[in-house]
Amino acid sequence: MSKSELPIGIFDSGIGGLTVARQIHKALPNEDLVYLGDTARVPYGTKSPSTVVRFSCEDTQFLIQQNVKAVVVACNTASAWALPILEKKYNLPIFGVILPGVRAALEKTRNQRIGVIGTGATIRSKAYSNGLLARCDSAKVFARACPLLVPLVEEGWTNRSVTREILEEYLAPLRRHRIDTLILGCTHYPLLKHAIRSVVGREIALVDSAESCARFVKERLEHLNLLAKSRRRTGTIQPFVTDEADRFSELARRFLGMPCEPAWKVDLAPV
Ligand code: DGL
């Protein structure tokens, strides 16, 4: 089998990264995807950098054992802390969500005042801020950790008034700073897009990091001549999880936007 026929590996701290798998499947419908959700150890967003790096190495190693042609780090927290280390350590193309989000935000902004929301660990890493400033030194970046949003999305409370109130509270300082672009820097936030839009109005452009990542992966795989161009059938999505798989299918349908194969439970080897 030629290398381009191999699946794309995607990992996340849990099920949230299925928003990225969904966009990759949409952008590259013939590609087979292998998805690993580290559901036994989610969330990564509250963990220390060294723990996030160690978990990310174990996740990557598992995907490499599945014989993937490239790895996508769907988790913003893992991309923020571990991507440079993974790129050095492993000898295959590895893509994260930060750079594609940065590029998309710089394409959209007109006043160079950009907001970023994400987990505590993502915001502490300054990965988005540094990425934006490295490409545009006149950018003004306003970042805010929004730790309550992940549990609200997992609970399915994307349209509740309490969620709207929390979003208003989190986003008020960013709006006061007159941002015109907001990076949704977490796997779960695409499911809050409507709620966020209703709070910030039409004038603020939203950057969906799952969408921009999928566009980036397509572009890079094309460039590397790694797209499964001769495949005629629709690509498959094989999920793996590290905790019991029972809750997976119910949550997966919401994040992926379609039914999903049953997940296999696996144990990850330490690196
Ligand atoms: N996947 C994480 C991210 O995108 C959110 C959930 C977590 O904290 O692990 O940052």
Side-chain angles (χ1 to χ4, degrees):
M1 191 199 271
S2 88
K3 205 168 184 186
S4 58
E5 300 296 308
L6 298 175
I8 301 171
I10 304 174
F11 82 82
D12 178 47
S13 53
I15 31 115
L18 287 170
T19 56
V20 177
R22 173 187 194 156
Q23 294 301 334
I24 292 178
H25 182 68
K26 198 166 151 197
L28 297 167
N30 299 330
E31 295 290 333
D32 288 339
L33 309 180
V34 173
Y35 180 88
L36 171 66
D38 191 6
T39 48
R41 302 188 293 194
V42 68
Y44 285 10
T46 53
K47 306 257 175 355
S48 67
S50 62
T51 300
V52 172
V53 169
R54 178 161 55 87
F55 290 175
S56 301
C57 290
E58 293 174 6
D59 298 335
T60 304
Q61 189 169 272
F62 172 81
L63 289 173
I64 292 173
Q65 280 158 3
Q66 304 311 303
N67 206 14
V68 297
K69 61 185 169 190
V71 169
V72 179
V73 185
C75 179
N76 283 252
T77 305
S79 292
W81 285 108
L83 187 67
I85 294 159
L86 300 176
E87 282 173 329
K88 265 195 217 119
K89 196 172 163 95
Y90 299 104
N91 188 22
L92 82 172
I94 305 190
F95 313 116
V97 284
I98 308 285
L99 176 62
V102 161
R103 289 198 332 185
L106 291 174
E107 271 160 33
K108 286 183 190 228
T109 187
R110 288 164 313 279
N111 69 1
Q112 278 75 48
R113 302 176 73 83
I114 299 166
V116 183
I117 53 174
T119 65
T122 297
I123 299 306
R124 271 195 303 280
S125 76
K126 296 197 164 58
Y128 277 110
S129 307
N130 292 339
L132 288 162
L133 291 168
R135 277 162 198 80
C136 173
D137 52 17
S138 61
K140 295 272 177 293
V141 186
F142 305 95
R144 176 102 209 234
C146 304
L148 294 174
L149 300 184
V150 165
L152 285 169
V153 173
E154 293 202 357
E155 203 56 38
W157 287 19
T158 48
N159 280 321
R160 301 279 179 108
S161 54
V162 61
T163 306
R164 198 192 145 92
E165 264 175 54
I166 289 170
L167 280 170
E168 271 169 3
E169 186 100 358
Y170 277 145
L171 298 174
L174 304 182
R175 296 171 73 197
R176 275 199 296 276
H177 284 298
R178 293 181 293 106
I179 59 164
D180 76 347
T181 303
L182 177 64
I183 300 179
L184 311 185
C186 176
T187 46
H188 290 57
Y189 300 173
L191 276 77
L192 285 172
K193 233 197 238 172
H194 290 295
I196 293 173
R197 168 69 62 221
S198 77
V199 169
V200 301
R202 289 262 139 226
E203 315 79 63
I204 295 183
L206 302 183
V207 174
D208 177 330
S209 59
E211 257 171 40
S212 43
C213 175
R215 237 177 296 128
F216 184 78
V217 169
K218 182 175 179 182
E219 193 184 297
R220 296 300 303 150
L221 290 181
E222 175 97 74
H223 178 77
L224 295 166
N225 212 7
L226 278 177
L227 288 177
K229 286 209 172 109
S230 54
R231 187 172 297 138
R232 296 283 162 257
R233 61 169 173 79
T234 305
T236 57
I237 305 177
Q238 175 56 60
F240 292 94
V241 287
T242 53
D243 196 7
E244 295 304 334
D246 23 329
R247 256 190 97 216
F248 179 85
S249 46
E250 173 221 324
L251 279 172
R253 181 188 270 269
R254 244 188 315 122
F255 283 83
L256 196 60
M258 60 183 163
C260 185
E261 292 288 307
W264 293 78
K265 180 183 179 292
V266 292
D267 291 317
L268 302 181
V271 282

